[in-house]
Amino acid sequence: MAEVVPIDTVSINDAADPRLRDYVDLRDVQLRKLLEAERGVFIAEGEKVVRRALESGHRARSFLMAPRWLETLADVLEGTDAPVYVMPESEIESVTGFHVHRGALASLYRAPVPTVAEVLDRARRIVVAEDLMDHTNVGAVFRSVAALGFDAVILSPRCADPLYRRAIKVSMGSVFWLPYARVDDWYAFPELLREHGWTSLAMTLSEDARDLRELAGTPDLGEKVALMVGAEGHGLSPHWSRSADVRVTIPMAADIDSLNVAAATAVACWALGG
Amino acid sequence: MAEVVPIDTVSINDAADPRLRDYVDLRDVQLRKLLEAERGVFIAEGEKVVRRALESGHRARSFLMAPRWLETLADVLEGTDAPVYVMPESEIESVTGFHVHRGALASLYRAPVPTVAEVLDRARRIVVAEDLMDHTNVGAVFRSVAALGFDAVILSPRCADPLYRRAIKVSMGSVFWLPYARVDDWYAFPELLREHGWTSLAMTLSEDARDLRELAGTPDLGEKVALMVGAEGHGLSPHWSRSADVRVTIPMAADIDSLNVAAATAVACWALGG
């Protein structure tokens, strides 16, 4: 059972209460990246997300909420030993730097991420994301992958963190249970996929790419299919695009360069089947 | 030819220079909604977006930029009589409330939006969006609709403004040229569609909905198809959902409720063809 700890709001005004250090400046992306990696934690925001994080097996380090959320989350708090820091909403805002609409916050320990080999062994349809910088896009890709029946996500070394607050929210919590791993050796990855028996499809706008509609009708794409999608703006790197078994494109209808990467991923997952 | 007006930065510090009133507090969504509607303007942000806004025929009321953008935009500024207010970047930030990464800003006059009847007359594949509150989703829907070959967007009365700065950006400027109109009589709209010879498809999660994959294989959906998508969170209203000719769903594979509305729209536009 969690211990409820009312925080003396006077002490907060020095903004340095060590119990609250996981929750400072939640809008400062650079600071948060550093701080969460260093401490091995991530932040869940809102009653539903906190609930899903715990249900998926993540262990809480602490909670921070206004008094009115204690009752709503009573069942969840019963199952944990982590302290629950309780403060008025306005004081929470002065710690986190913004108004927390959906109530509770939790700081949770990051679980060890499986290796790429472990993820590949248990999947047959994956999305491989290269250098997505935008947390909204990372979250949206996870949500679409999960909803459309793909099995896992593989991230390039520079891809944004799926456990960043905004990515979690946009993913509808699917980052908590959808298997994912991060590639160490970006350059060798297409070859690794081949060695493991995967057919890799590079989503690209290049001239020699096949039309997704035609490709989706191909009866035998292979038992294990990896759909590779590239960064916002520039798309897949030439190396990954060239190394893929097949280059595939969504033909653009109008005076517009491309679909957003999350929309393109959703369309391709749909077209290729789950 | 636009007149370049260096702004005396001393006078800015009272934050009330009337020449700059179109550009104040660009991050304050509520204030901006009111102010832009009242003045009949919208704000374009960034060199590319400013360029696209003008190329698509929107008339500028004024520009605001740091000196270094004058040269980059020289060709554009030559074709307009609107004043160009020039200030150091830090001063622009103090007016707008944030750092304008991509340089120039423009305040442009809103063109009259066509009537629903006018848009329907010239289209055969449309997306009808009900009560999308999020500017990112509105922009993403426009981008996908344009890229995947649909002809127009119809908005319910409460849908967020496609000419809001964030929506413009996410849409990649497609809000400037993709025809759209706003419904006045929300309740009567499904009947209006029928009278005009449209087949309406409601995207929903309801039990009696048909699988999109099966529906997409149907040879004769009708000459004119309206895809209706609903608000974030709750989806389509029961009235619109029930009044549609066909209810259609994207089956969810996993422990996830739904796709994001922009992803669902992209998938459905793809599946139903442009």
Side-chain angles (χ1 to χ4, degrees), chain B residues 32-266:
Chain B
R32 295 301 312 183
K33 270 162 64 169
L34 196 72
L35 186 152
E36 295 180 11
E38 210 173 74
R39 298 184 193 161
V41 298
F42 66 94
I43 299 295
E45 174 196 0
E47 186 218 325
K48 270 192 201 170
V49 174
V50 168
R51 212 174 263 284
R52 283 184 191 172
L54 290 164
E55 282 166 4
S56 62
H58 291 84
R59 199 159 58 84
R61 169 150 122 155
S62 68
F63 299 85
L64 174 61
M65 62 189 72
R68 66 192 177 101
W69 292 98
L70 281 173
E71 199 176 333
T72 319
L73 280 165
D75 58 320
V76 165
L77 299 177
E78 199 151 332
T80 166
D81 287 331
V84 185
Y85 303 125
V86 175
M87 295 197 304
E89 265 168 23
S90 59
E91 298 294 330
I92 293 178
E93 187 171 339
S94 80
V95 172
T96 60
F98 74 109
H99 181 68
V100 181
H101 293 285
R102 280 162 301 275
L105 293 165
S107 172
L108 300 114
Y109 291 102
R110 287 173 181 254
V113 173
T115 66
V116 170
E118 285 166 349
V119 170
L120 292 182
D121 276 352
R122 274 175 257 145
R124 52 173 212 94
R125 289 284 183 278
I126 62 170
V127 165
V128 180
E130 189 187 40
D131 297 3
L132 297 189
M133 296 297 170
D134 183 301
H135 290 106
T136 301
N137 284 336
V138 170
V141 164
F142 270 77
R143 181 173 177 184
S144 292
V145 163
L148 295 171
F150 272 49
D151 305 317
V153 177
I154 301 285
L155 306 172
S156 75
R158 286 157 43 96
C159 245
D161 178 13
L163 292 182
Y164 187 74
R165 190 171 53 92
R166 173 92 190 138
I168 293 173
K169 188 169 140 190
V170 173
S171 83
M172 300 293 276
S174 59
V175 292
F176 295 145
W177 53 264
L178 191 76
Y180 71 89
R182 198 178 283 274
V183 170
D184 285 324
D185 187 347
W186 166 87
Y187 194 84
F189 184 65
E191 191 49 38
L192 183 94
L193 273 179
R194 212 181 323 271
E195 283 166 13
H196 281 70
W198 289 77
T199 304
S200 55
L201 312 183
M203 293 289 291
T204 163
L205 297 165
S206 73
E207 296 280 320
D208 71 336
R210 290 173 65 185
D211 185 325
L212 175 64
R213 213 175 286 279
E214 176 225 327
L215 190 72
T218 305
D220 191 18
L221 275 178
E223 197 199 336
K224 298 191 283 185
V225 173
L227 180 72
M228 297 161 82
V229 300
E232 303 90 355
H234 298 292
L236 273 180
S237 63
H239 173 62
W240 273 23
S241 182
R242 274 196 308 263
S243 310
D245 298 314
V246 183
R247 274 153 296 287
V248 55
T249 199
I250 298 174
M252 292 295 110
D255 182 19
I256 202 152
D257 301 333
S258 65
L259 280 175
N260 158 274
V261 61
T265 303

Side-chain angles (χ1 to χ4, degrees), chain A residues 65-247:
Chain A
M65 62 190 71
R68 67 192 176 100
W69 293 97
L70 281 174
E71 198 175 334
T72 319
L73 281 164
D75 58 319
V76 163
L77 299 177
E78 199 151 331
T80 167
D81 287 331
V84 185
Y85 303 125
V86 175
M87 298 197 306
E89 264 170 23
S90 59
E91 298 294 331
I92 293 178
E93 186 172 340
S94 80
V95 172
T96 61
F98 74 109
H99 182 68
V100 180
H101 294 284
R102 278 161 303 274
L105 293 165
S107 171
L108 300 114
Y109 291 104
R110 285 170 184 258
V113 173
T115 65
V116 169
E118 284 166 350
V119 170
L120 292 182
D121 276 353
R122 276 175 259 145
R124 51 173 213 95
R125 289 285 183 278
I126 61 171
V127 166
V128 180
E130 188 186 40
D131 297 2
L132 298 189
M133 296 299 169
D134 183 299
H135 290 107
T136 301
N137 283 335
V138 170
V141 164
F142 270 77
R143 181 174 177 183
S144 291
V145 162
L148 295 170
F150 272 48
D151 304 317
V153 177
I154 301 284
L155 305 172
S156 76
R158 285 157 44 96
C159 244
D161 178 14
L163 292 182
Y164 187 74
R165 189 171 53 91
R166 172 92 191 138
I168 293 172
K169 188 169 141 193
V170 173
S171 85
M172 302 291 276
S174 59
V175 293
F176 295 146
W177 54 263
L178 190 76
Y180 71 90
R182 199 178 281 275
V183 170
D184 284 325
D185 187 348
W186 166 86
Y187 194 83
F189 184 66
E191 191 50 37
L192 183 95
L193 274 179
R194 212 181 322 273
E195 283 165 13
H196 281 69
W198 288 77
T199 304
S200 55
L201 313 183
M203 294 287 291
T204 161
L205 296 167
S206 73
E207 295 280 319
D208 70 336
R210 289 172 65 184
D211 185 324
L212 175 64
R213 213 174 284 278
E214 174 225 329
L215 191 74
T218 306
D220 191 17
L221 274 180
E223 196 198 336
K224 298 191 284 187
V225 173
L227 180 72
M228 298 160 83
V229 300
E232 304 89 355
H234 298 293
L236 274 180
S237 64
H239 174 61
W240 272 23
S241 183
R242 274 196 308 262
S243 310
D245 297 316
V246 184
R247 274 154 296 287

Side-chain angles (χ1 to χ4, degrees), chain B residues 19-36:
Chain B
R19 296 170 296 184
L20 302 179
R21 53 202 280 274
D22 283 357
Y23 301 98
V24 295
D25 295 335
L26 289 181
R27 283 214 163 143
D28 184 335
V29 181
Q30 293 312 318
L31 170 71
R32 295 301 312 183
K33 270 162 64 169
L34 196 72
L35 186 152
E36 295 180 11

